[in-house]
Amino acid sequence: MTEKIKIDDELFIGGREFNIIAGPCAVEDEQQMDAIGKFLNRLGVKIIRGGAFKPRTSPKSFQGLGMEGLRILKDIGEKYDLKVISEVMDPRDVEKAYDYVDIYQIGSRNMQNFTLLKEMGKTDKPILLKRGMSSTIDEWIQASEYISMEGNDQIIFCERGIRTFEDYTRNTLDLISVPIIQSRTKYPIIVDPSHGTGRKDLILPASKAALAIGANGLMIEIHPKPEEALSDGLQSLNFSEFEDLYEEISRMEKALKMNG
Ligand code: PEP
Ligand code: MN
């Protein structure tokens, strides 16, 4: 079994826990985040995600609200009793973001940004390390060693799909990495079916498969109005779609626990 990463006194990722993290691709404004925070709190979700520093392929796309986004995220987390996770891209922002996040995220494009890995490794907060989109499992594990060698042992891996010749989906979700990471390291691993598939209709089946293969949780993008989202609207679930998924996955999780 993987180690448990402590998020707070009552909340852990890893071990026998299965956590579902949800939130928008990007923090857009206070109103959007308030609606999402309220909804997640009602469902019983414990961790909200939201990008403030967005790694966009085009410099002309929405780049995120930066520190203002982190302020909104923290306020909403406090208001609705949610822990927050957000990506930091620049080593110079690690310290600035420290007071605003409960879990740092290292995005796919930065999995081998060794300066960033080392800088975060000096902090005492849990780190979600997403898989580089063109990285092998060994490279991913070695990236985690840049963090642990600085003294931070609170690592959570996140499988988010890799680039292959298959272009039906945005990425190819490599779920077999889940048991491999769990046997090769002591750390938990969660799955991001949103970036892993890029398509709303595939998020539920991919989530079920992730749970069945033994993942320690999921991270899913949601938006009150996906059609108006400033980023990743095509892969974002609306509230009722997410609620259905949450209930179905929770039922499946209970059934698996009863049998195991
Ligand atoms: C994200 O989770 O916000 C994100 C940008 O994903 P990735 O780094 O996996 O592309
Ligand atoms: Mn996204």
Side-chain angles (χ1 to χ4, degrees), residues 16 250-260:
R16 287 201 178 283
S250 302
R251 270 198 302 275
M252 188 173 152
E253 189 200 340
K254 278 199 201 92
L256 287 170
K257 270 194 180 139
M258 267 162 31
N259 289 323

Short mmCIF file of all heavy atoms in Angstrom, two decimals, residues 16 250-260:
data_model
loop_
_atom_site.label_atom_id
_atom_site.label_comp_id
_atom_site.label_asym_id
_atom_site.label_seq_id
_atom_site.Cartn_x
_atom_site.Cartn_y
_atom_site.Cartn_z
N ARG A 16 -5.51 3.75 1.97
CA ARG A 16 -6.79 3.20 1.49
C ARG A 16 -7.76 4.28 1.03
O ARG A 16 -8.90 3.99 0.67
CB ARG A 16 -7.47 2.39 2.59
CG ARG A 16 -6.77 1.07 2.84
CD ARG A 16 -7.70 0.08 3.54
NE ARG A 16 -7.01 -1.19 3.73
CZ ARG A 16 -6.82 -2.08 2.77
NH1 ARG A 16 -7.31 -1.89 1.55
NH2 ARG A 16 -6.15 -3.20 3.01
N SER A 250 -18.58 6.90 -6.29
CA SER A 250 -18.68 6.60 -4.85
C SER A 250 -19.33 5.24 -4.63
O SER A 250 -18.90 4.46 -3.77
CB SER A 250 -19.47 7.68 -4.11
OG SER A 250 -18.86 8.92 -4.30
N ARG A 251 -20.36 4.94 -5.41
CA ARG A 251 -21.02 3.61 -5.31
C ARG A 251 -20.03 2.50 -5.65
O ARG A 251 -19.94 1.49 -4.97
CB ARG A 251 -22.20 3.53 -6.29
CG ARG A 251 -23.53 3.98 -5.70
CD ARG A 251 -24.70 3.47 -6.54
NE ARG A 251 -24.65 3.90 -7.93
CZ ARG A 251 -25.12 5.06 -8.38
NH1 ARG A 251 -25.68 5.91 -7.54
NH2 ARG A 251 -25.04 5.39 -9.66
N MET A 252 -19.29 2.73 -6.73
CA MET A 252 -18.35 1.70 -7.17
C MET A 252 -17.23 1.51 -6.13
O MET A 252 -16.81 0.39 -5.85
CB MET A 252 -17.77 2.15 -8.52
CG MET A 252 -16.91 1.12 -9.20
SD MET A 252 -16.47 1.69 -10.87
CE MET A 252 -14.91 0.83 -11.06
N GLU A 253 -16.82 2.62 -5.53
CA GLU A 253 -15.76 2.54 -4.52
C GLU A 253 -16.24 1.72 -3.33
O GLU A 253 -15.51 0.86 -2.82
CB GLU A 253 -15.43 3.98 -4.08
CG GLU A 253 -14.23 4.10 -3.22
CD GLU A 253 -14.21 5.40 -2.43
OE1 GLU A 253 -14.92 6.36 -2.83
OE2 GLU A 253 -13.52 5.44 -1.42
N LYS A 254 -17.47 1.96 -2.89
CA LYS A 254 -18.02 1.19 -1.76
C LYS A 254 -18.10 -0.29 -2.10
O LYS A 254 -17.74 -1.15 -1.30
CB LYS A 254 -19.43 1.70 -1.41
CG LYS A 254 -19.39 2.93 -0.54
CD LYS A 254 -20.73 3.14 0.18
CE LYS A 254 -20.88 4.58 0.61
NZ LYS A 254 -21.56 5.44 -0.39
N ALA A 255 -18.56 -0.59 -3.31
CA ALA A 255 -18.69 -1.98 -3.73
C ALA A 255 -17.32 -2.67 -3.73
O ALA A 255 -17.18 -3.80 -3.27
CB ALA A 255 -19.34 -2.06 -5.10
N LEU A 256 -16.31 -1.96 -4.21
CA LEU A 256 -14.96 -2.56 -4.26
C LEU A 256 -14.44 -2.79 -2.85
O LEU A 256 -13.81 -3.80 -2.56
CB LEU A 256 -13.99 -1.64 -5.02
CG LEU A 256 -14.16 -1.60 -6.54
CD1 LEU A 256 -13.29 -0.48 -7.13
CD2 LEU A 256 -13.78 -2.94 -7.15
N LYS A 257 -14.72 -1.85 -1.93
CA LYS A 257 -14.24 -1.99 -0.55
C LYS A 257 -14.92 -3.16 0.13
O LYS A 257 -14.30 -3.90 0.89
CB LYS A 257 -14.54 -0.71 0.23
CG LYS A 257 -13.39 0.28 0.13
CD LYS A 257 -13.50 1.40 1.15
CE LYS A 257 -12.34 2.35 1.01
NZ LYS A 257 -12.72 3.75 1.13
N MET A 258 -16.23 -3.36 -0.15
CA MET A 258 -16.98 -4.44 0.46
C MET A 258 -16.38 -5.80 0.06
O MET A 258 -16.34 -6.74 0.84
CB MET A 258 -18.44 -4.39 0.02
CG MET A 258 -19.29 -3.61 1.02
SD MET A 258 -20.88 -3.05 0.40
CE MET A 258 -21.33 -4.26 -0.78
N ASN A 259 -15.91 -5.84 -1.19
CA ASN A 259 -15.37 -7.12 -1.67
C ASN A 259 -13.90 -7.32 -1.30
O ASN A 259 -13.38 -8.41 -1.43
CB ASN A 259 -15.51 -7.20 -3.19
CG ASN A 259 -16.96 -7.36 -3.58
OD1 ASN A 259 -17.70 -8.04 -2.91
ND2 ASN A 259 -17.38 -6.69 -4.64
N GLY A 260 -13.25 -6.22 -0.95
CA GLY A 260 -11.81 -6.36 -0.69
C GLY A 260 -11.51 -6.13 0.74
O GLY A 260 -10.42 -6.10 1.20
#
